């Protein structure tokens, strides 16, 4: 599990294209694109994307560990990734996330902003297709894994779409929203399906649900205190990007990402330090950090703080700096 086959790259275009496409289904994309949407495009679009993303990813991760379908054998395939090799294969959560995010973004914006319907549909299709193909190229999934993931995600999107407005309204106005947003994800994380060996799926699921929980509490707080939706210069689909708009967009993005990354580092250090003191292990002990009583609280608290920071503190900082 710790070694990989040797291989020679013969086509660097496909190699870097699909390595990049694979990254579009991982944390580095989530932690940049979802906040970017919230800071620069539209709060309602971001809320709907996060709702769909968290539900789709939880179902996908749990399905993996219930079905327990193995990944492709190597050989004959050559695996270009090793971290996710410990996970099961069916369904491909990369395919699920790409389908959910791209099409929920398309559906949420098509009636709000002026851009050609065909162009939006094509962009969503190309984005999800590239991520799906990357899972085949990197040797991490079979064709059935990818098709299954995309179809499950599409089915969930169809089922959730009619309830979007209702769910969004409840999450913004219900007095029980903060309690519900924290308790339910925590219960799901602590009762995640048990495996015979360690797999990163539980930790990844906790990361996703924690981030969604923090963001949801942030949405609720903003609504309670009448924090206005973004109305300044923004990168709205269908509108030309002027140089002044780009300056504001980039300034908001880089300022926000810096704060988010700082929050993640600081919270992770503090929480791991507290848990290490409680359970008597050094912070660098990887095996200890994989234990249920450590992994779930440290990842949930860390990423819920990230979600809360991105939706509450960063917009306040943007206002303070005159970037809105």
């Amino acid at each position: 599990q710790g070694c990989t086959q040797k291989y020679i790259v013969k086509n660097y275009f496909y190699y870097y294209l699909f390595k990049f496409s694979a990254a579009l289904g991982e944390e580095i994309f989530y932690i940049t694109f979802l906040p970017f949407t919230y800071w620069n495009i539209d709060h309602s679009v971001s809320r709907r994307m996060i709702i769909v993303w968290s539900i789709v990813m939880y179902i996908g991760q749990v399905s993996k560990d219930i079905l327990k379908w193995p990944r492709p054998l190597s050989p004959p395939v050559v695996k270009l990734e090793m971290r996710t090799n410990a996970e099961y294969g069916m369904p491909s959560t990369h395919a699920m996330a790409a389908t959910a995010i791209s099409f929920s973004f398309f559906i949420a914006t098509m009636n709000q902003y002026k851009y050609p319907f065909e162009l939006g549909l094509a962009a969503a299709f190309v984005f999800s297709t590239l991520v799906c193909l990357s899972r085949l190229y990197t040797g991490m999934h079979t064709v059935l894994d990818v098709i299954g993931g995309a179809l499950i995600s599409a089915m969930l999107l169809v089922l959730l779409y009619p309830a979007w407005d209702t769910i969004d309204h409840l999450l913004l106005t219900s007095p029980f929203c903060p309690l519900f947003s924290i308790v339910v994800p925590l219960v799901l994380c602590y009762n995640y399906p048990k495996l015979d060996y360690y797999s990163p799926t539980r930790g990844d699921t906790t990361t996703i649900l924690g981030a969604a929980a923090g963001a949801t509490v942030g949405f609720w707080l903003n609504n309670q205190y009448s924090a206005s939706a973004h109305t300044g210069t923004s990168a709205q689909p269908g509108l030309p990007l002027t140089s002044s708009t780009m300056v504001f967009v980039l300034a908001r993005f880089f300022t926000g990402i810096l704060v988010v990354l700082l929050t993640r580092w600081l919270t992770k250090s503090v929480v791991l330090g507290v848990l290490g003191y409680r359970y008597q292990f050094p912070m660098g002990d990887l095996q200890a950090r994989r234990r249920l009583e450590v992994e779930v609280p440290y990842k949930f608290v860390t990423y819920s703080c990230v979600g809360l920071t991105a939706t509450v503190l960063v917009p306040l900082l943007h206002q303070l700096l005159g970037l809105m």
Side-chain angles (χ1 to χ4, degrees), residues 180-192 206 209-210 213 296-297 300-301:
F180 178 86
S181 299
I182 298 298
V183 172
V184 172
L186 268 177
V187 170
L188 293 175
C189 292
Y190 274 109
N191 291 277
Y192 193 82
T206 305
L209 294 185
V296 170
F300 191 87
V301 172

Side-chain angles (χ1 to χ4, degrees), residues 65-213:
D65 292 337
I66 291 176
L67 293 174
K68 297 182 178 181
W69 286 21
R71 290 187 181 268
L73 294 176
S74 176
V77 304
V78 175
K79 294 185 178 180
L80 305 185
E81 298 175 11
M82 292 311 301
R83 178 186 177 274
T84 56
N85 197 34
E87 299 177 8
Y88 290 107
M90 177 68 170
S92 166
T93 46
H94 272 72
M96 293 183 72
T99 302
I101 288 176
S102 59
F103 282 94
S104 61
F105 180 82
F106 166 60
I107 294 170
T109 58
M110 66 180 181
N111 293 323
Q112 295 191 42
Y113 302 110
K114 296 179 181 180
Y115 64 86
F117 174 87
E118 295 80 5
L119 179 62
L121 181 62
F125 179 78
V126 169
F127 179 92
S128 55
T129 299
L130 281 174
V131 176
C132 290
L133 291 176
S134 75
R135 308 317 289 157
L136 303 178
Y137 183 88
T138 55
M140 302 312 296
H141 284 286
T142 65
V143 174
L144 186 59
D145 294 343
V146 169
I147 293 176
L151 289 179
I152 292 171
S153 185
M155 181 183 67
L156 290 171
L157 190 56
V158 169
L159 293 174
L160 288 170
Y161 176 70
W164 265 12
D165 292 338
T166 302
I167 295 173
D168 188 51
H169 178 73
L170 288 174
L171 292 179
L172 289 178
T173 60
S174 172
F176 302 105
C177 172
L179 181 64
F180 178 86
S181 299
I182 298 298
V183 172
V184 172
L186 268 177
V187 170
L188 293 175
C189 292
Y190 274 109
N191 291 277
Y192 193 82
K194 293 180 174 59
L195 297 176
D196 297 331
Y197 61 91
Y198 178 79
S199 167
T201 48
R202 185 183 64 203
D204 291 345
T205 304
T206 305
T207 294
I208 292 165
L209 294 185

